[in-house]
Amino acid sequence: MFTQRVAVRRFALMLTLLVAFSVLFVAWATLQQRESTLAIRPASQSVSVPDGFSIWHHLDANGIRFKSITPQNDTLLIKFDSSAQSAAAKVVLDRTLPHGYIIALQDDDNHTAAWLSRLRDTPHRLG
């Protein structure tokens, strides 16, 4: 009888640990998939925002997948599943778009990195 209770308690403990580790794993996997945004805006008022179709064409031609392209005010926002995809897209768009656009990475969960990216990228795209 005593060994039966010990066996039941061990089973309950192992089941509890298994559920806890499963919850932690799912939470960790969810946190690792961070959405990232790339913002394209004109450097001056004389330049208009590029159309989404041309951006789609440049990204598709280079095999870069994205979630959405959305115009917002005077900015074109492109959402990606990861910051690696948005960084690759930034490289492609820096190379293919004409001068006069500011292309900035904006990780949705890290405002400091977004500001640093804007400050670092702004002089490169002006002129």
Side-chain angles (χ1 to χ4, degrees):
M1 178 105 171
F2 179 73
T3 57
Q4 189 177 12
R5 275 193 246 161
V6 170
V8 169
R9 286 184 182 170
R10 283 186 183 171
F11 177 74
L13 178 64
M14 290 180 67
L15 186 61
T16 303
L17 288 174
L18 179 65
V19 169
F21 282 127
S22 297
V23 168
L24 286 174
F25 178 74
V26 169
W28 179 76
T30 302
L31 290 174
Q32 294 303 315
Q33 296 177 357
R34 295 190 176 141
E35 197 174 75
S36 183
T37 303
L38 190 65
I40 303 172
R41 56 190 161 95
S44 66
Q45 290 183 355
S46 63
V47 179
S48 64
V49 177
D51 68 301
F53 182 76
S54 66
I55 299 300
W56 171 82
H57 176 71
H58 290 301
L59 296 178
D60 186 55
N62 287 280
I64 299 172
R65 296 186 183 270
F66 58 90
K67 293 174 81 172
S68 66
I69 298 177
T70 309
Q72 184 179 36
N73 299 330
D74 287 336
T75 306
L76 196 61
L77 300 176
I78 308 166
K79 297 260 185 204
F80 298 91
D81 286 327
S82 70
S83 57
Q85 288 175 326
S86 63
K90 183 179 182 331
V91 169
V92 166
L93 294 174
D94 274 336
R95 185 180 62 228
T96 57
L97 284 179
H99 290 288
Y101 293 107
I102 298 169
I103 303 170
L105 295 172
Q106 298 177 335
D107 285 333
D108 294 341
D109 58 338
N110 190 344
H111 297 292
T112 304
W115 279 105
L116 289 174
S117 176
R118 281 185 192 161
L119 291 173
R120 183 178 59 239
D121 296 336
T122 301
H124 175 262
R125 296 302 293 170
L126 292 176

